[in-house]
Amino acid sequence: GVISLFQLQGLVSISLKKVELSVGESKFFTCTAIGEPVSLEWYNPQGERMVPSSRVALHNEGVRSRLTLYNANVEDAGIYRCQATDAQGQTQEATVVLEIYQKLTFRDVPSPQEFRQGDVAEVVCDVTSSPVPVVAWYYNNIEITEDTEKFQLLPNNNLQVQRVTKADEGIYRCEARVEARGEIDFRDIILVVNVPPVLSVPQLSFNATADYGESVTFTCRAYGSPEPDVTWHRKGVELQESEQYVMRARGTTLTIRNIKQDDGGSYTCKASNKAGEMQQEIFLKVFVQPHITKLRNVTAVEGSAAMISCKAEGEPLPEISWRRASDGHSFSDGDKSPDGRVEVRGRHGESMLTIVGVGLSDWGRFDCEALSRIGGHQKSMFLDIEYAPKFQTNHTIFFSWEGNPVNISCDVMSNPPATMLWRREKLTIPTEGTANMRVHNAPGRSLLEVC
Ligand SMILES: *[C@@H]1O[C@H](CO)[C@@H](O)[C@H](O)[C@H]1NC(C)=O
Ligand SMILES: *[C@@H]1O[C@H](CO)[C@@H](O)[C@H](O)[C@H]1NC(C)=O
Ligand SMILES: *[C@@H]1O[C@H](CO)[C@@H](O)[C@H](O)[C@H]1NC(C)=O
Ligand SMILES: *[C@@H]1O[C@H](CO)[C@@H](O)[C@H](O)[C@H]1NC(C)=O
Protein backbone atom coordinates (compact mmCIF):
# COMPACT_ATOMS: atom_id res chain seq x y z
CA GLY A 1 0.00 0.00 0.00
CA VAL A 2 0.68 3.60 -0.05
CA ILE A 3 2.63 4.89 2.85
CA SER A 4 1.27 8.07 4.12
CA LEU A 5 4.18 10.22 4.93
CA PHE A 6 1.94 12.59 6.82
CA GLN A 7 1.62 10.32 9.72
CA LEU A 8 4.98 11.55 10.79
CA GLN A 9 5.67 14.87 12.40
CA GLY A 10 7.55 17.67 10.70
CA LEU A 11 7.17 16.57 7.18
CA VAL A 12 6.02 20.00 6.00
CA SER A 13 8.33 22.88 6.50
CA ILE A 14 8.49 26.53 5.50
CA SER A 15 11.75 28.15 4.64
CA LEU A 16 11.27 30.85 7.28
CA LYS A 17 9.59 30.65 10.66
CA LYS A 18 9.27 34.24 11.68
CA VAL A 19 9.67 37.16 9.39
CA GLU A 20 9.79 40.90 9.94
CA LEU A 21 8.93 42.89 6.95
CA SER A 22 8.87 46.61 6.50
CA VAL A 23 5.89 48.22 4.82
CA GLY A 24 6.37 48.26 1.09
CA GLU A 25 8.84 45.40 1.01
CA SER A 26 8.24 42.13 -0.77
CA LYS A 27 9.20 38.62 0.31
CA PHE A 28 8.57 35.02 -0.63
CA PHE A 29 8.19 31.87 1.48
CA THR A 30 8.77 28.34 0.32
CA CYS A 31 6.78 25.46 1.76
CA THR A 32 8.30 22.03 1.24
CA ALA A 33 6.54 18.70 1.88
CA ILE A 34 8.25 15.32 2.06
CA GLY A 35 6.42 12.62 0.13
CA GLU A 36 3.78 13.04 -2.47
CA PRO A 37 1.25 15.63 -1.40
CA VAL A 38 -1.84 15.95 -3.53
CA SER A 39 -2.08 19.61 -2.82
CA LEU A 40 -0.20 22.37 -1.10
CA GLU A 41 -2.38 25.29 -0.05
CA TRP A 42 -1.70 28.58 1.72
CA TYR A 43 -4.04 30.19 4.25
CA ASN A 44 -3.88 33.78 5.31
CA PRO A 45 -4.12 35.04 8.92
CA GLN A 46 -7.89 35.29 8.53
CA GLY A 47 -7.99 31.55 7.72
CA GLU A 48 -8.97 32.05 4.07
CA ARG A 49 -7.36 30.03 1.34
CA MET A 50 -5.07 32.26 -0.61
CA VAL A 51 -5.49 32.82 -4.30
CA PRO A 52 -3.24 34.83 -6.61
CA SER A 53 -3.93 38.56 -6.74
CA SER A 54 -2.13 41.74 -7.57
CA ARG A 55 0.01 41.50 -4.45
CA VAL A 56 0.01 37.72 -4.00
CA ALA A 57 1.70 35.17 -6.25
CA LEU A 58 1.54 31.37 -5.77
CA HIS A 59 3.86 29.03 -7.50
CA ASN A 60 3.56 25.25 -7.00
CA GLU A 61 6.18 22.87 -8.25
CA GLY A 62 5.93 19.28 -7.05
CA VAL A 63 6.63 19.16 -3.34
CA ARG A 64 7.20 22.92 -3.14
CA SER A 65 4.91 25.85 -3.03
CA ARG A 66 6.16 29.39 -3.08
CA LEU A 67 4.08 32.25 -1.72
CA THR A 68 5.21 35.74 -2.68
CA LEU A 69 3.84 38.82 -0.96
CA TYR A 70 4.52 42.05 -2.79
CA ASN A 71 4.49 45.52 -1.34
CA ALA A 72 3.56 44.49 2.19
CA ASN A 73 1.24 46.58 4.28
CA VAL A 74 0.33 46.54 7.96
CA GLU A 75 -2.80 44.45 7.39
CA ASP A 76 -0.69 41.62 5.99
CA ALA A 77 0.67 40.80 9.48
CA GLY A 78 -0.31 37.48 11.08
CA ILE A 79 0.19 33.74 10.86
CA TYR A 80 0.30 32.16 7.42
CA ARG A 81 -0.26 28.42 7.08
CA CYS A 82 0.89 26.06 4.42
CA GLN A 83 -1.26 22.95 4.34
CA ALA A 84 -0.28 19.71 2.58
CA THR A 85 -2.91 17.11 1.81
CA ASP A 86 -2.17 13.55 0.76
CA ALA A 87 -4.21 11.08 -1.25
CA GLN A 88 -5.97 9.83 1.88
CA GLY A 89 -7.11 13.32 2.68
CA GLN A 90 -4.80 13.62 5.61
CA THR A 91 -3.36 17.04 6.20
CA GLN A 92 -0.24 18.39 7.67
CA GLU A 93 0.74 22.03 8.02
CA ALA A 94 3.52 24.42 8.75
CA THR A 95 3.27 28.08 9.74
CA VAL A 96 5.16 31.27 9.38
CA VAL A 97 4.61 34.35 11.52
CA LEU A 98 4.75 37.55 9.56
CA GLU A 99 5.38 40.78 11.41
CA ILE A 100 5.02 43.95 9.46
CA TYR A 101 6.63 47.06 10.67
CA GLN A 102 6.79 50.52 9.28
CA LYS A 103 10.12 52.20 8.96
CA LEU A 104 10.36 55.78 10.06
CA THR A 105 8.57 57.76 7.41
CA PHE A 106 8.47 61.53 7.32
CA ARG A 107 5.24 62.09 5.53
CA ASP A 108 4.79 65.84 5.62
CA VAL A 109 7.66 67.88 6.89
CA PRO A 110 7.79 71.01 4.72
CA SER A 111 10.66 73.41 5.00
CA PRO A 112 10.66 76.30 5.26
CA GLN A 113 7.51 76.65 7.36
CA GLU A 114 6.22 80.20 7.47
CA PHE A 115 4.17 81.92 10.13
CA ARG A 116 2.85 85.34 10.86
CA GLN A 117 4.43 87.28 13.67
CA GLY A 118 2.38 87.03 16.83
CA ASP A 119 0.54 83.91 15.77
CA VAL A 120 0.71 80.55 17.49
CA ALA A 121 2.93 78.56 15.18
CA GLU A 122 2.53 74.84 14.85
CA VAL A 123 5.68 73.44 13.31
CA VAL A 124 4.60 70.30 11.55
CA CYS A 125 6.58 67.08 11.69
CA ASP A 126 4.36 64.29 10.47
CA VAL A 127 6.36 61.12 11.02
CA THR A 128 5.08 57.58 11.39
CA SER A 129 6.51 54.16 12.10
CA SER A 130 5.42 50.98 13.75
CA PRO A 131 5.79 50.80 16.53
CA VAL A 132 5.07 54.51 16.91
CA PRO A 133 8.13 56.72 17.00
CA VAL A 134 9.41 58.88 19.81
CA VAL A 135 9.90 62.41 18.55
CA ALA A 136 12.33 64.95 19.97
CA TRP A 137 12.73 68.56 18.89
CA TYR A 138 15.92 70.59 18.79
CA TYR A 139 16.29 74.30 18.29
CA ASN A 140 19.76 75.58 17.53
CA ASN A 141 21.07 72.13 18.49
CA ILE A 142 19.55 72.26 21.95
CA GLU A 143 16.84 69.78 22.75
CA ILE A 144 13.51 71.18 23.79
CA THR A 145 13.00 68.81 26.66
CA GLU A 146 9.78 70.04 28.18
CA ASP A 147 6.94 72.45 27.64
CA THR A 148 7.82 76.05 28.31
CA GLU A 149 5.93 79.25 27.88
CA LYS A 150 7.38 79.39 24.38
CA PHE A 151 7.34 75.78 23.27
CA GLN A 152 4.85 72.99 23.65
CA LEU A 153 5.34 69.47 22.38
CA LEU A 154 1.99 68.41 20.98
CA PRO A 155 0.58 64.87 21.11
CA ASN A 156 0.69 64.75 17.31
CA ASN A 157 4.48 65.30 17.52
CA ASN A 158 4.22 68.85 16.18
CA LEU A 159 5.94 71.66 18.00
CA GLN A 160 3.88 74.65 19.03
CA VAL A 161 5.56 78.02 19.34
CA GLN A 162 3.62 80.72 21.17
CA ARG A 163 3.52 84.23 19.69
CA VAL A 164 6.29 83.72 17.17
CA THR A 165 8.64 86.61 16.57
CA LYS A 166 11.60 87.18 14.34
CA ALA A 167 13.75 85.96 17.25
CA ASP A 168 12.22 82.51 16.94
CA GLU A 169 13.45 82.08 13.39
CA GLY A 170 16.05 79.41 12.78
CA ILE A 171 16.45 75.73 12.20
CA TYR A 172 14.26 73.32 14.10
CA ARG A 173 15.17 69.64 14.05
CA CYS A 174 12.50 66.99 14.36
CA GLU A 175 14.16 63.72 15.35
CA ALA A 176 12.28 60.44 15.49
CA ARG A 177 13.39 57.16 17.09
CA VAL A 178 12.06 53.61 17.15
CA GLU A 179 13.54 52.16 20.30
CA ALA A 180 12.80 48.54 19.36
CA ARG A 181 14.87 48.70 16.22
CA GLY A 182 17.36 51.37 17.10
CA GLU A 183 16.07 53.25 14.10
CA ILE A 184 16.58 57.00 14.09
CA ASP A 185 16.12 59.78 11.56
CA PHE A 186 15.53 63.50 11.52
CA ARG A 187 14.47 66.42 9.39
CA ASP A 188 15.63 70.01 9.68
CA ILE A 189 12.92 72.62 9.29
CA ILE A 190 13.60 76.26 8.64
CA LEU A 191 11.15 78.45 10.53
CA VAL A 192 10.35 81.75 8.89
CA VAL A 193 8.38 84.48 10.62
CA ASN A 194 6.63 86.97 8.37
CA VAL A 195 5.82 90.39 9.70
CA PRO A 196 2.86 92.27 8.19
CA PRO A 197 3.69 95.73 6.85
CA VAL A 198 3.63 98.75 9.06
CA LEU A 199 3.54 102.14 7.41
CA SER A 200 5.19 105.28 8.57
CA VAL A 201 3.85 108.34 6.83
CA PRO A 202 5.49 111.57 7.96
CA GLN A 203 3.00 113.91 6.26
CA LEU A 204 -0.63 113.18 5.57
CA SER A 205 -1.71 116.32 3.78
CA PHE A 206 -0.13 118.54 1.19
CA ASN A 207 -0.94 121.86 -0.42
CA ALA A 208 -0.06 122.92 -3.94
CA THR A 209 -1.13 125.54 -6.43
CA ALA A 210 -2.27 124.46 -9.87
CA ASP A 211 -0.74 125.54 -13.14
CA TYR A 212 2.58 126.76 -11.78
CA GLY A 213 4.55 123.64 -12.69
CA GLU A 214 4.64 122.64 -9.03
CA SER A 215 5.48 119.16 -7.78
CA VAL A 216 4.76 117.39 -4.51
CA THR A 217 6.42 114.30 -3.09
CA PHE A 218 4.57 111.91 -0.79
CA THR A 219 6.51 109.50 1.39
CA CYS A 220 5.26 106.17 2.72
CA ARG A 221 7.89 104.14 4.56
CA ALA A 222 6.99 100.51 4.98
CA TYR A 223 8.45 98.03 7.44
CA GLY A 224 7.81 94.31 7.45
CA SER A 225 9.18 90.94 6.55
CA PRO A 226 9.55 90.03 3.82
CA GLU A 227 10.20 93.57 2.61
CA PRO A 228 6.78 94.95 1.62
CA ASP A 229 5.96 96.19 -1.85
CA VAL A 230 4.62 99.72 -1.87
CA THR A 231 2.10 100.77 -4.48
CA TRP A 232 0.14 103.97 -4.98
CA HIS A 233 -3.52 104.20 -5.81
CA ARG A 234 -5.98 106.85 -6.70
CA LYS A 235 -9.72 106.36 -7.12
CA GLY A 236 -9.14 102.64 -6.88
CA VAL A 237 -6.63 102.51 -9.71
CA GLU A 238 -2.96 101.72 -9.23
CA LEU A 239 -0.76 104.54 -10.46
CA GLN A 240 1.89 103.69 -13.00
CA GLU A 241 5.23 105.40 -13.45
CA SER A 242 4.79 108.15 -16.04
CA GLU A 243 5.69 111.68 -17.00
CA GLN A 244 3.30 112.79 -14.26
CA TYR A 245 4.06 110.23 -11.56
CA VAL A 246 7.59 109.45 -10.49
CA MET A 247 8.23 106.71 -7.95
CA ARG A 248 11.52 106.36 -6.13
CA ALA A 249 13.11 104.33 -3.37
CA ARG A 250 11.25 101.12 -4.25
CA GLY A 251 7.97 102.97 -4.50
CA THR A 252 8.17 104.55 -1.07
CA THR A 253 8.02 108.04 -2.56
CA LEU A 254 5.59 109.32 -5.14
CA THR A 255 6.23 112.63 -6.87
CA ILE A 256 3.35 114.23 -8.72
CA ARG A 257 4.67 116.66 -11.25
CA ASN A 258 3.22 119.70 -12.91
CA ILE A 259 0.22 119.86 -10.63
CA LYS A 260 -3.17 120.68 -12.05
CA GLN A 261 -6.50 121.24 -10.40
CA ASP A 262 -7.73 117.72 -10.99
CA ASP A 263 -4.69 116.25 -9.24
CA GLY A 264 -6.32 117.30 -5.98
CA GLY A 265 -7.90 114.68 -3.76
CA SER A 266 -6.85 111.62 -1.90
CA TYR A 267 -4.13 109.15 -2.72
CA THR A 268 -3.51 105.82 -1.05
CA CYS A 269 -0.21 104.10 -0.49
CA LYS A 270 -0.49 100.40 0.05
CA ALA A 271 2.23 98.21 1.49
CA SER A 272 1.85 94.48 1.19
CA ASN A 273 3.74 91.30 1.72
CA LYS A 274 2.67 87.73 2.23
CA ALA A 275 1.86 88.43 5.87
CA GLY A 276 -0.65 91.15 5.11
CA GLU A 277 -1.14 94.67 3.93
CA MET A 278 -1.61 98.14 5.28
CA GLN A 279 -2.70 101.29 3.60
CA GLN A 280 -2.71 104.97 4.32
CA GLU A 281 -4.49 107.84 2.68
CA ILE A 282 -2.66 111.04 1.82
CA PHE A 283 -4.54 114.16 0.84
CA LEU A 284 -3.45 116.68 -1.73
CA LYS A 285 -5.16 120.04 -1.64
CA VAL A 286 -4.74 121.91 -4.90
CA PHE A 287 -5.35 125.63 -4.89
CA VAL A 288 -6.27 127.36 -8.10
CA GLN A 289 -5.84 131.07 -8.73
CA PRO A 290 -9.14 132.87 -9.37
CA HIS A 291 -9.93 133.19 -13.02
CA ILE A 292 -12.86 135.02 -14.55
CA THR A 293 -14.30 132.77 -17.20
CA LYS A 294 -17.36 134.72 -18.30
CA LEU A 295 -17.98 138.42 -18.48
CA ARG A 296 -19.65 139.99 -21.52
CA ASN A 297 -20.55 143.44 -22.72
CA VAL A 298 -24.20 144.09 -22.21
CA THR A 299 -26.59 146.29 -24.11
CA ALA A 300 -29.77 147.29 -22.34
CA VAL A 301 -32.70 149.34 -23.52
CA GLU A 302 -33.27 152.46 -21.50
CA GLY A 303 -35.84 151.82 -18.83
CA SER A 304 -35.46 148.06 -18.85
CA ALA A 305 -33.45 145.95 -16.44
CA ALA A 306 -29.83 145.17 -17.22
CA MET A 307 -28.36 141.97 -15.94
CA ILE A 308 -24.60 141.59 -15.93
CA SER A 309 -23.12 138.27 -15.00
CA CYS A 310 -19.56 137.50 -13.97
CA LYS A 311 -18.43 133.91 -13.55
CA ALA A 312 -15.16 132.90 -11.96
CA GLU A 313 -13.35 129.68 -11.09
CA GLY A 314 -10.67 128.89 -8.58
CA GLU A 315 -9.92 126.86 -5.52
CA PRO A 316 -10.99 128.04 -3.11
CA LEU A 317 -13.91 129.51 -5.03
CA PRO A 318 -13.30 133.27 -5.24
CA GLU A 319 -15.54 136.02 -3.93
CA ILE A 320 -16.81 138.27 -6.70
CA SER A 321 -17.25 142.02 -6.41
CA TRP A 322 -18.07 144.85 -8.80
CA ARG A 323 -16.79 148.34 -9.33
CA ARG A 324 -18.65 150.98 -11.32
CA ALA A 325 -16.00 152.95 -13.23
CA SER A 326 -18.14 156.08 -13.53
CA ASP A 327 -18.03 156.81 -9.79
CA GLY A 328 -15.74 154.11 -8.39
CA HIS A 329 -18.57 152.65 -6.34
CA SER A 330 -18.13 149.02 -5.32
CA PHE A 331 -20.81 146.38 -4.93
CA SER A 332 -20.42 142.93 -3.51
CA ASP A 333 -22.77 140.06 -2.90
CA GLY A 334 -25.96 141.20 -1.22
CA ASP A 335 -25.33 144.89 -1.78
CA LYS A 336 -28.08 147.21 -2.94
CA SER A 337 -27.73 150.82 -3.97
CA PRO A 338 -29.58 153.42 -1.81
CA ASP A 339 -32.11 154.03 -4.58
CA GLY A 340 -32.67 150.28 -4.83
CA ARG A 341 -31.92 150.18 -8.55
CA VAL A 342 -28.63 148.31 -8.35
CA GLU A 343 -28.40 144.97 -6.67
CA VAL A 344 -25.81 142.19 -6.54
CA ARG A 345 -26.52 138.53 -5.91
CA GLY A 346 -24.02 135.73 -6.11
CA ARG A 347 -23.70 132.02 -5.69
CA HIS A 348 -21.13 129.32 -6.52
CA GLY A 349 -18.64 131.45 -8.37
CA GLU A 350 -21.18 133.52 -10.26
CA SER A 351 -22.33 137.04 -9.47
CA MET A 352 -25.21 138.88 -11.05
CA LEU A 353 -25.39 142.67 -11.04
CA THR A 354 -28.89 143.86 -11.80
CA ILE A 355 -29.84 147.45 -12.61
CA VAL A 356 -33.49 148.14 -12.95
CA GLY A 357 -34.74 151.05 -14.99
CA VAL A 358 -31.41 151.67 -16.67
CA GLY A 359 -30.70 155.16 -17.77
CA LEU A 360 -27.96 156.88 -19.68
CA SER A 361 -26.12 157.50 -16.43
CA ASP A 362 -25.60 153.76 -16.08
CA TRP A 363 -23.70 153.62 -19.30
CA GLY A 364 -20.03 152.78 -18.95
CA ARG A 365 -17.45 150.37 -17.68
CA PHE A 366 -17.94 147.91 -14.85
CA ASP A 367 -15.06 145.92 -13.37
CA CYS A 368 -15.57 142.45 -12.03
CA GLU A 369 -13.04 141.22 -9.51
CA ALA A 370 -12.64 137.63 -8.33
CA LEU A 371 -10.67 137.37 -5.14
CA SER A 372 -9.59 134.41 -3.03
CA ARG A 373 -7.04 133.77 -0.33
CA ILE A 374 -4.43 132.94 -2.92
CA GLY A 375 -4.96 135.69 -5.48
CA GLY A 376 -7.24 137.74 -7.63
CA HIS A 377 -8.32 138.34 -11.20
CA GLN A 378 -10.03 141.35 -12.71
CA LYS A 379 -11.87 141.94 -15.97
CA SER A 380 -14.00 144.79 -17.34
CA MET A 381 -17.14 145.03 -19.38
CA PHE A 382 -19.17 147.83 -20.89
CA LEU A 383 -22.79 148.49 -20.35
CA ASP A 384 -24.28 150.11 -23.39
CA ILE A 385 -27.71 151.76 -23.16
CA GLU A 386 -29.99 151.88 -26.13
CA TYR A 387 -32.53 154.67 -26.29
CA ALA A 388 -34.95 156.18 -28.77
CA PRO A 389 -33.94 159.32 -30.65
CA LYS A 390 -34.21 162.58 -28.67
CA PHE A 391 -34.17 166.00 -30.32
CA GLN A 392 -31.48 168.17 -28.90
CA THR A 393 -32.73 171.64 -29.92
CA ASN A 394 -36.09 173.27 -30.13
CA HIS A 395 -34.79 175.66 -32.77
CA THR A 396 -37.74 175.81 -35.08
CA ILE A 397 -37.57 179.09 -36.91
CA PHE A 398 -34.79 179.87 -39.39
CA PHE A 399 -34.49 183.14 -41.24
CA SER A 400 -33.08 183.71 -44.66
CA TRP A 401 -33.53 185.72 -47.77
CA GLU A 402 -33.46 185.29 -51.49
CA GLY A 403 -30.19 183.95 -52.75
CA ASN A 404 -28.90 183.27 -49.31
CA PRO A 405 -28.54 179.58 -48.64
CA VAL A 406 -29.33 178.52 -45.15
CA ASN A 407 -28.64 175.38 -43.17
CA ILE A 408 -31.53 174.03 -41.15
CA SER A 409 -30.16 171.72 -38.52
CA CYS A 410 -31.73 168.82 -36.72
CA ASP A 411 -29.78 167.48 -33.74
CA VAL A 412 -30.75 164.11 -32.41
CA MET A 413 -29.29 161.84 -29.75
CA SER A 414 -29.92 158.12 -29.90
CA ASN A 415 -28.33 154.76 -29.48
CA PRO A 416 -27.92 153.14 -31.89
CA PRO A 417 -27.57 156.15 -34.20
CA ALA A 418 -30.84 157.28 -35.71
CA THR A 419 -31.54 157.78 -39.35
CA MET A 420 -32.97 161.21 -40.05
CA LEU A 421 -35.35 162.16 -42.76
CA TRP A 422 -36.57 165.59 -43.87
CA ARG A 423 -40.03 166.20 -45.11
CA ARG A 424 -41.58 169.19 -46.70
CA GLU A 425 -45.35 169.25 -46.61
CA LYS A 426 -45.54 165.46 -46.35
CA LEU A 427 -43.05 164.91 -49.17
CA THR A 428 -39.86 163.23 -48.12
CA ILE A 429 -36.77 164.96 -49.34
CA PRO A 430 -34.44 162.33 -50.79
CA THR A 431 -31.05 162.12 -49.06
CA GLU A 432 -29.29 162.87 -52.34
CA GLY A 433 -31.15 166.21 -52.36
CA THR A 434 -33.14 168.11 -54.99
CA ALA A 435 -32.42 171.06 -57.25
CA ASN A 436 -32.45 173.58 -54.43
CA MET A 437 -31.99 171.38 -51.39
CA ARG A 438 -29.06 169.37 -50.12
CA VAL A 439 -28.87 167.03 -47.13
CA HIS A 440 -25.74 166.82 -45.06
CA ASN A 441 -25.80 163.88 -42.64
CA ALA A 442 -23.44 163.48 -39.78
CA PRO A 443 -23.76 161.35 -36.63
CA GLY A 444 -26.44 162.88 -34.46
CA ARG A 445 -27.04 165.77 -36.79
CA SER A 446 -28.61 166.33 -40.16
CA LEU A 447 -28.37 169.61 -42.07
CA LEU A 448 -30.78 170.60 -44.77
CA GLU A 449 -29.22 173.25 -46.95
CA VAL A 450 -31.91 175.29 -48.64
CA CYS A 451 -30.70 177.45 -51.52
C1 LIG B 1 -2.61 123.82 3.61
O1 LIG B 1 -3.45 124.92 3.53
C2 LIG B 1 -4.36 125.01 4.61
C3 LIG B 1 -5.30 126.17 4.31
O2 LIG B 1 -4.59 127.29 3.90
C4 LIG B 1 -3.59 125.19 5.89
O3 LIG B 1 -4.48 125.24 6.96
C5 LIG B 1 -2.65 124.02 6.07
O4 LIG B 1 -1.86 124.20 7.19
C6 LIG B 1 -1.78 123.86 4.86
N1 LIG B 1 -1.06 122.64 4.99
C7 LIG B 1 0.22 122.53 4.67
C8 LIG B 1 0.81 121.23 4.83
O5 LIG B 1 0.87 123.49 4.24
C1 LIG C 1 -16.86 145.66 -24.93
O1 LIG C 1 -17.03 147.01 -25.16
C2 LIG C 1 -15.84 147.77 -25.22
C3 LIG C 1 -16.19 149.23 -25.34
O2 LIG C 1 -17.23 149.41 -26.25
C4 LIG C 1 -14.97 147.30 -26.37
O3 LIG C 1 -13.75 148.00 -26.40
C5 LIG C 1 -14.70 145.81 -26.19
O4 LIG C 1 -14.00 145.29 -27.28
C6 LIG C 1 -16.01 145.05 -26.01
N1 LIG C 1 -15.72 143.73 -25.70
C7 LIG C 1 -16.29 142.70 -26.31
C8 LIG C 1 -15.86 141.37 -25.83
O5 LIG C 1 -17.10 142.87 -27.18
C1 LIG D 1 -38.15 171.34 -26.25
O1 LIG D 1 -39.47 171.73 -25.94
C2 LIG D 1 -40.21 170.71 -25.24
C3 LIG D 1 -41.65 171.26 -25.09
O2 LIG D 1 -41.63 172.63 -24.81
C4 LIG D 1 -39.54 170.47 -23.89
O3 LIG D 1 -40.27 169.50 -23.17
C5 LIG D 1 -38.10 170.00 -24.12
O4 LIG D 1 -37.44 169.80 -22.89
C6 LIG D 1 -37.35 170.98 -24.99
N1 LIG D 1 -36.06 170.37 -25.35
C7 LIG D 1 -34.86 171.03 -25.32
C8 LIG D 1 -33.68 170.24 -25.75
O5 LIG D 1 -34.83 172.22 -25.00
C1 LIG E 1 -24.28 174.01 -44.55
O1 LIG E 1 -23.54 172.93 -43.97
C2 LIG E 1 -22.70 172.31 -44.89
C3 LIG E 1 -22.06 171.12 -44.16
O2 LIG E 1 -21.53 171.54 -42.93
C4 LIG E 1 -21.68 173.26 -45.45
O3 LIG E 1 -20.87 172.61 -46.37
C5 LIG E 1 -22.38 174.46 -46.08
O4 LIG E 1 -21.45 175.44 -46.47
C6 LIG E 1 -23.33 175.08 -45.11
N1 LIG E 1 -24.05 176.06 -45.78
C7 LIG E 1 -24.23 177.26 -45.24
C8 LIG E 1 -25.05 178.21 -46.05
O5 LIG E 1 -23.82 177.58 -44.14
Side-chain angles (χ1 to χ4, degrees):
V2 176
I3 299 163
S4 169
L5 296 172
F6 291 106
Q7 284 155 6
L8 299 170
Q9 285 278 333
L11 291 183
V12 180
S13 70
I14 295 179
S15 52
L16 299 161
K17 291 288 166 226
K18 185 176 179 210
V19 173
E20 286 197 339
L21 198 54
S22 122
V23 171
E25 279 184 344
S26 304
K27 206 135 206 159
F28 66 86
F29 313 96
T30 308
C31 173
T32 309
I34 311 246
E36 286 176 44
V38 175
S39 71
L40 279 172
E41 309 264 33
W42 286 91
Y43 290 87
N44 70 14
Q46 286 74 45
E48 298 149 355
R49 193 168 67 84
M50 296 182 77
V51 291
S53 71
S54 61
R55 292 200 301 113
V56 175
L58 292 168
H59 188 75
N60 284 10
E61 205 184 88
V63 298
R64 275 197 182 84
S65 176
R66 194 165 75 224
L67 164 68
T68 310
L69 277 178
Y70 294 104
N71 188 20
N73 64 39
V74 178
E75 288 75 46
D76 293 335
I79 299 167
Y80 287 75
R81 288 184 297 129
C82 168
Q83 191 177 68
T85 310
D86 68 7
Q88 278 76 46
Q90 287 186 291
T91 62
Q92 189 65 275
E93 61 183 41
T95 59
V96 57
V97 177
L98 185 61
E99 288 184 351
I100 309 280
Y101 69 92
Q102 167 127 49
K103 285 199 284 191
L104 280 174
T105 308
F106 288 93
R107 285 195 295 205
D108 179 24
V109 189
S111 179
Q113 292 186 31
E114 302 193 27
F115 301 96
R116 223 173 102 116
Q117 171 167 273
D119 283 358
V120 176
E122 187 169 334
V123 189
V124 172
C125 180
D126 184 358
V127 57
T128 64
S129 70
S130 64
V132 291
V134 175
V135 171
W137 284 89
Y138 295 83
Y139 175 47
N140 291 339
N141 296 322
I142 297 164
E143 185 172 0
I144 301 166
T145 48
E146 57 190 24
D147 288 355
T148 60
E149 226 171 87
K150 193 63 164 174
F151 300 117
Q152 281 88 47
L153 302 160
L154 300 181
N156 62 4
N157 291 330
N158 292 346
L159 175 70
Q160 197 171 63
V161 187
Q162 296 296 329
R163 291 184 313 279
V164 278
T165 66
K166 279 304 227 189
D168 298 323
E169 284 191 333
I171 295 173
Y172 287 75
R173 173 167 295 185
C174 162
E175 188 179 83
R177 290 194 310 275
V178 180
E179 297 288 346
R181 288 194 300 277
E183 195 182 342
I184 191 161
D185 200 357
F186 67 84
R187 290 289 183 274
D188 282 339
I189 300 159
I190 297 168
L191 182 99
V192 172
V193 177
N194 295 324
V195 182
V198 174
L199 280 172
S200 158
V201 183
Q203 194 178 339
L204 291 176
S205 90
F206 291 79
N207 289 339
T209 307
D211 309 319
Y212 284 86
E214 281 186 22
S215 302
V216 287
T217 298
F218 303 152
T219 302
C220 256
R221 291 191 199 97
Y223 305 93
S225 178
E227 184 111 53
D229 289 326
V230 179
T231 52
W232 293 88
H233 303 257
R234 183 170 190 226
K235 296 172 182 161
V237 177
E238 185 177 341
L239 301 180
Q240 304 295 329
E241 188 96 19
S242 66
E243 194 73 349
Q244 189 186 10
Y245 300 122
V246 181
M247 292 156 204
R248 295 250 161 76
R250 292 177 18 268
T252 58
T253 73
L254 168 69
T255 301
I256 304 169
R257 294 171 39 167
N258 200 6
I259 290 186
K260 289 178 205 60
Q261 181 167 19
D262 61 9
D263 290 326
S266 72
Y267 291 75
T268 304
C269 77
K270 217 178 252 180
S272 60
N273 64 14
K274 58 172 89 173
E277 70 169 50
M278 185 181 174
Q279 59 184 53
Q280 177 65 55
E281 207 163 85
I282 293 180
F283 195 81
L284 173 62
K285 173 84 191 162
V286 175
F287 295 111
V288 181
Q289 289 279 0
H291 181 76
I292 294 170
T293 55
K294 196 188 113 191
L295 180 68
R296 293 209 193 93
N297 284 346
V298 169
T299 301
V301 176
E302 186 179 25
S304 70
M307 304 223 277
I308 315 170
S309 153
C310 182
K311 229 185 216 173
E313 292 174 351
E315 183 59 49
L317 209 53
E319 297 281 336
I320 299 175
S321 61
W322 297 89
R323 192 178 156 276
R324 185 163 62 193
S326 61
D327 59 0
H329 195 95
S330 287
F331 302 90
S332 48
D333 187 22
D335 283 357
K336 208 166 184 176
S337 65
D339 62 5
R341 285 201 314 119
V342 183
E343 190 175 359
V344 171
R345 287 190 183 281
R347 65 189 270 272
H348 300 309
E350 180 163 12
S351 178
M352 183 75 81
L353 177 94
T354 309
I355 308 171
V356 294
V358 283
L360 283 176
S361 63
D362 297 314
W363 179 92
R365 199 184 85 216
F366 287 80
D367 302 325
C368 170
E369 184 171 41
L371 202 63
S372 79
R373 202 153 25 74
I374 64 157
H377 186 214
Q378 188 181 310
K379 263 191 170 177
S380 301
M381 59 76 66
F382 283 86
L383 174 62
D384 197 15
I385 311 292
E386 290 188 337
Y387 55 92
K390 294 184 212 285
F391 292 98
Q392 290 303 100
T393 52
N394 276 350
H395 193 175
T396 48
I397 302 169
F398 289 84
F399 296 96
S400 186
W401 54 91
E402 186 91 18
N404 176 44
V406 68
N407 273 336
I408 308 173
S409 77
C410 177
D411 293 286
V412 164
M413 266 179 70
S414 75
N415 183 23
T419 49
M420 287 177 253
L421 287 176
W422 291 94
R423 269 194 212 111
R424 186 182 183 203
E425 285 159 10
K426 300 207 172 139
L427 280 172
T428 301
I429 302 164
T431 43
E432 61 274 18
T434 60
N436 61 344
M437 277 180 269
R438 248 176 283 159
V439 179
H440 304 278
N441 277 334
R445 158 173 273 206
S446 187
L447 295 177
L448 180 68
E449 190 178 10
V450 183
C451 309

